[in-house]
Structures are given as C-alpha cells and as structure tokens.
Amino acid sequence: MALALLALAAALLAGSAMAGRAMMRSTQSHGASITAESEARTALAEFVSAWSTAYDSLQIGRSFEAEIGPRRVGAAGLVALTRFRVLRVSSARYVVGLETSVGPQGLTTARRRLSLLIARRAESDSVTIAGAPVPIGQWSLADLF
C-alpha cells in the first residue's frame, strides 16, 4: 500500500512539473508575441517617418528592401530583426510590407507581419511628389497571413 502511494505521489509530482514547464513556455511565447507586435508597429512608424527620396525614384512596379536591427527589445532581452519591402504601385502610391522576428539571439520565438498602403501628395504646381507619406485610411494597417 505504501509503495502504491509513493508511486502515485511521484507521478503527480512529475505531471505537475511538466505542466509548470509548459505554462512557462506558453507565457514566454505570449510575451514574445506581444513584443513582436509592438516592435513591428514601432519599426513601421520609424520607417515611414524617415521616408527616403530614394523610394520616390523607384519605377512603378519596382521594389526596395531594407532592414532595421537586430536590436534588443523588451524586458526579457529579446532581439528583434525587421525586414521591409517598399513597392511602388502607382505614381503616388506605395505598399510597405514588413516582417518582424523576435526571440533570443539567433532564434525566432514570435513573428509579426504588417503592411501599409501609403500615398505621397503631389505639389499643386508640378508633378513632383512632396511632403510626408500619408497612410490611406481604409487599408492603413492590414495583417498579412
């Protein structure tokens, strides 16, 4: 009887240890997902606010790729790498797509993809494009799956 109770106690202890480890991994994964979401939105805002005239010289249908990072983000010391792709779809419209990968150094725990359709306003007296890029409201931040 005592041996059966010891075996049962050992099984319960092993099961609770495995459940605790699974919950810890789930919490870390959820935290990395939240960090990836915030880093993707932050990187997108940084990229659009630092718009380069090189993107304005792209031919329609051509794209340009860039990266931000790797850089440390979040309280857990995770590393984020964000890759951008700017595609010119018309004379004044661009699609900016990005993918942010977050995780410990060399690993990816969470990934977030965003896209933004933006318009560049033309000056009233010429066909040149001026001013900061403006998100197009209906499709401003759309998830890519």
Side-chain angles (χ1 to χ4, degrees):
M1 184 71 126
L3 282 174
L5 288 175
L6 281 174
L8 179 62
L12 289 174
L13 184 62
S16 64
M18 287 177 51
R21 241 187 316 160
M23 289 179 72
M24 183 182 71
R25 275 188 264 161
S26 174
T27 302
Q28 288 173 340
S29 176
H30 183 66
S33 176
I34 290 170
T35 302
E37 172 75 23
S38 66
E39 178 61 22
R41 290 177 183 269
T42 301
L44 184 59
E46 287 175 9
F47 186 79
V48 172
S49 66
W51 188 263
S52 171
T53 55
Y55 309 137
D56 293 332
S57 64
L58 285 173
Q59 294 178 359
I60 296 174
R62 298 287 180 170
S63 64
F64 180 84
E65 294 183 8
E67 280 187 2
I68 293 180
R71 63 182 178 187
R72 294 220 175 261
V73 293
L78 300 174
V79 176
L81 176 65
T82 303
R83 291 185 176 93
F84 289 91
R85 186 171 193 187
V86 178
L87 173 67
R88 188 168 193 172
V89 292
S90 72
S91 61
R93 298 198 196 281
Y94 300 82
V95 174
V96 179
L98 70 90
E99 177 183 80
T100 299
S101 302
V102 174
Q105 185 70 34
L107 299 173
T108 298
T109 305
R111 184 172 285 138
R112 183 70 176 136
R113 293 183 177 117
L114 296 175
S115 65
L116 180 68
L117 182 61
I118 60 173
R120 298 276 287 160
R121 293 185 217 154
E123 292 182 0
S124 59
D125 60 346
S126 69
V127 293
T128 60
I129 297 173
V134 178
I136 297 177
Q138 186 175 0
W139 298 283
S140 62
L141 280 174
D143 296 334
L144 293 176
F145 292 102

Short mmCIF file of all heavy atoms in Angstrom, two decimals, residues 14 24 52 61 87 96 121 124 136 138 145:
data_model
loop_
_atom_site.label_atom_id
_atom_site.label_comp_id
_atom_site.label_asym_id
_atom_site.label_seq_id
_atom_site.Cartn_x
_atom_site.Cartn_y
_atom_site.Cartn_z
N ALA A 14 5.73 14.53 -11.07
CA ALA A 14 6.27 14.63 -12.44
C ALA A 14 5.28 15.34 -13.36
O ALA A 14 5.67 16.19 -14.18
CB ALA A 14 6.60 13.24 -12.98
N MET A 24 5.15 27.87 -18.43
CA MET A 24 6.23 28.85 -18.53
C MET A 24 6.56 29.13 -19.99
O MET A 24 6.71 30.28 -20.40
CB MET A 24 7.48 28.34 -17.80
CG MET A 24 8.63 29.33 -17.81
SD MET A 24 10.11 28.70 -16.99
CE MET A 24 10.63 27.47 -18.17
N SER A 52 12.69 58.07 -47.39
CA SER A 52 13.82 58.49 -48.20
C SER A 52 13.36 58.86 -49.60
O SER A 52 12.43 58.26 -50.15
CB SER A 52 14.83 57.35 -48.28
OG SER A 52 15.84 57.64 -49.21
N GLY A 61 6.11 49.45 -60.08
CA GLY A 61 6.25 48.00 -60.14
C GLY A 61 7.55 47.50 -59.54
O GLY A 61 7.73 46.31 -59.36
N LEU A 87 7.13 48.78 -52.22
CA LEU A 87 6.73 48.51 -53.61
C LEU A 87 5.95 49.71 -54.11
O LEU A 87 4.97 50.13 -53.48
CB LEU A 87 5.86 47.25 -53.69
CG LEU A 87 5.23 46.93 -55.04
CD1 LEU A 87 6.32 46.57 -56.06
CD2 LEU A 87 4.23 45.81 -54.90
N VAL A 96 4.09 49.31 -48.22
CA VAL A 96 5.21 48.99 -47.35
C VAL A 96 4.83 47.73 -46.59
O VAL A 96 3.84 47.71 -45.87
CB VAL A 96 5.52 50.14 -46.37
CG1 VAL A 96 6.67 49.75 -45.45
CG2 VAL A 96 5.82 51.42 -47.10
N ARG A 121 1.62 62.95 -51.60
CA ARG A 121 0.89 64.05 -52.24
C ARG A 121 1.77 64.75 -53.27
O ARG A 121 2.93 65.03 -53.01
CB ARG A 121 0.44 65.05 -51.20
CG ARG A 121 -0.59 64.50 -50.28
CD ARG A 121 -1.08 65.56 -49.35
NE ARG A 121 -1.29 64.88 -48.07
CZ ARG A 121 -1.24 65.46 -46.91
NH1 ARG A 121 -1.00 66.73 -46.80
NH2 ARG A 121 -1.44 64.78 -45.81
N SER A 124 0.92 71.09 -56.02
CA SER A 124 -0.16 71.56 -56.89
C SER A 124 0.34 72.14 -58.22
O SER A 124 -0.37 72.09 -59.20
CB SER A 124 -1.00 72.61 -56.16
OG SER A 124 -0.19 73.69 -55.79
N ILE A 136 -3.25 55.49 -46.19
CA ILE A 136 -4.58 55.51 -46.76
C ILE A 136 -5.49 54.83 -45.75
O ILE A 136 -5.30 53.66 -45.41
CB ILE A 136 -4.60 54.81 -48.13
CG1 ILE A 136 -3.70 55.59 -49.10
CG2 ILE A 136 -6.01 54.68 -48.65
CD1 ILE A 136 -3.56 54.99 -50.45
N GLN A 138 -8.54 53.44 -45.25
CA GLN A 138 -9.28 52.19 -45.27
C GLN A 138 -8.37 50.98 -45.13
O GLN A 138 -8.76 49.97 -44.58
CB GLN A 138 -10.08 52.11 -46.58
CG GLN A 138 -11.01 50.90 -46.63
CD GLN A 138 -11.87 50.91 -47.87
OE1 GLN A 138 -11.77 51.81 -48.70
NE2 GLN A 138 -12.69 49.91 -48.03
N PHE A 145 -1.46 37.36 -43.77
CA PHE A 145 -1.40 35.98 -43.29
C PHE A 145 -1.21 35.05 -44.45
O PHE A 145 -1.63 35.27 -45.51
CB PHE A 145 -2.67 35.59 -42.54
CG PHE A 145 -2.82 36.33 -41.25
CD1 PHE A 145 -3.68 37.39 -41.14
CD2 PHE A 145 -2.08 35.95 -40.15
CE1 PHE A 145 -3.82 38.06 -39.95
CE2 PHE A 145 -2.21 36.62 -38.95
CZ PHE A 145 -3.09 37.66 -38.85
#
